[in-house]
């Protein structure tokens, strides 16, 4: 039975990364819903392309059991996350990540996704691929130099250019 996926898109999101996941899910018949990590469904890509997500993160909170997996689509919002961490949508982001992780759901992401999983407190003992600049911040998990890592329910890639190498294992997990 194919699994259902909640896709989190920060604002601005890395369009290349986001679209790789969405295309792979669409082409493989995997059900997904895109949630904007924003007060509104209107977000942009790093390159300025306007997008409208299916919903906002506020409406995912409390509905985590409706999904089997979570994708964290990274973007230019992450380097300035600390400046905006106290905004309601970012507080909900961290709560949703923690809930998905604590429930043992499949956790997927690229670039700084492993850092966000770490900050949510759900990476203990996991090997993670992460953007090299975020590597020093991983203390509970183990940041590797590998392009991708699959460890238990965690599927991570160093950056959007490595997602294609990660997708076969992600798709196997989501189809199972």
């Amino acid at each position: 039975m194919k699994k259902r996926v909640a896709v989190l898109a920060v604002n601005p999101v890395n369009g290349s990364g986001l679209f790789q996941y969405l295309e792979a899910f669409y082409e493989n018949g995997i059900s997904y819903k895109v949630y904007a990590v924003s007060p509104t469904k209107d977000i942009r890509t790093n390159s300025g392309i306007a997008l409208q997500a299916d919903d906002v993160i506020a409406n995912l909170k409390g509905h985590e059991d409706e999904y089997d997996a979570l994708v964290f689509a990274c973007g230019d919002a992450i380097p300035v996350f600390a400046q905006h961490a106290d905004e309601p949508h970012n507080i909900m982001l961290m709560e949703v990540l923690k809930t998905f992780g604590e429930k043992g759901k499949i956790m997927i992401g690229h670039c700084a996704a492993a850092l966000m999983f770490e900050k949510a407190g759900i990476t203990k003992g996991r090997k993670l691929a992460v953007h090299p600049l975020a590597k020093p911040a991983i203390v509970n998990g183990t940041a590797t130099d590998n392009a991708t890592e699959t460890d238990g329910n965690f599927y991570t890639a160093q950056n959007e250019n490595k997602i294609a190498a990660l997708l076969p294992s992600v798709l196997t997990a989501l189809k199972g």
Side-chain angles (χ1 to χ4, degrees), residues 106-129:
I106 297 169
M107 304 296 289
I108 305 160
H110 67 283
C111 200
L115 171 63
M116 300 306 286
F117 299 160
E118 172 84 13
K119 294 295 183 192
I122 57 173
T123 61
K124 185 172 181 165
R126 298 292 184 191
K127 285 192 234 174
L128 306 160

Side-chain angles (χ1 to χ4, degrees), residues 51-154:
L51 300 174
Q52 187 172 67
D54 297 313
D55 210 336
V56 294
I57 188 106
N59 294 328
L60 175 57
K61 187 165 169 41
H63 296 275
E64 294 89 348
D65 286 336
E66 296 173 21
Y67 296 92
D68 305 290
L70 177 141
V71 169
F72 181 83
C74 199
D76 284 352
I78 299 309
V80 296
F81 180 82
Q83 298 166 17
H84 303 279
D86 62 346
E87 294 175 9
H89 59 275
N90 285 327
I91 292 168
M92 282 181 249
L93 164 65
M94 299 312 292
E95 292 170 353
V96 165
L97 292 176
K98 186 171 183 66
T99 300
F100 268 81
E102 287 178 345
K103 289 178 177 273
K105 308 251 182 189
I106 297 169
M107 304 296 289
I108 305 160
H110 67 283
C111 200
L115 171 63
M116 300 306 286
F117 299 160
E118 172 84 13
K119 294 295 183 192
I122 57 173
T123 61
K124 185 172 181 165
R126 298 292 184 191
K127 285 192 234 174
L128 306 160
V130 63
H131 190 284
L133 293 175
K135 188 177 175 186
I138 306 298
V139 294
N140 293 314
T142 302
T144 71
D145 292 322
N146 296 332
T148 68
E149 283 290 350
T150 299
D151 188 357
N153 58 318
F154 283 78

Side-chain angles (χ1 to χ4, degrees), residues 10-14 45-47 74-81:
V10 296
N11 187 27
V13 67
N14 178 288
T45 67
N46 292 352
S47 58
C74 199
D76 284 352
I78 299 309
V80 296
F81 180 82

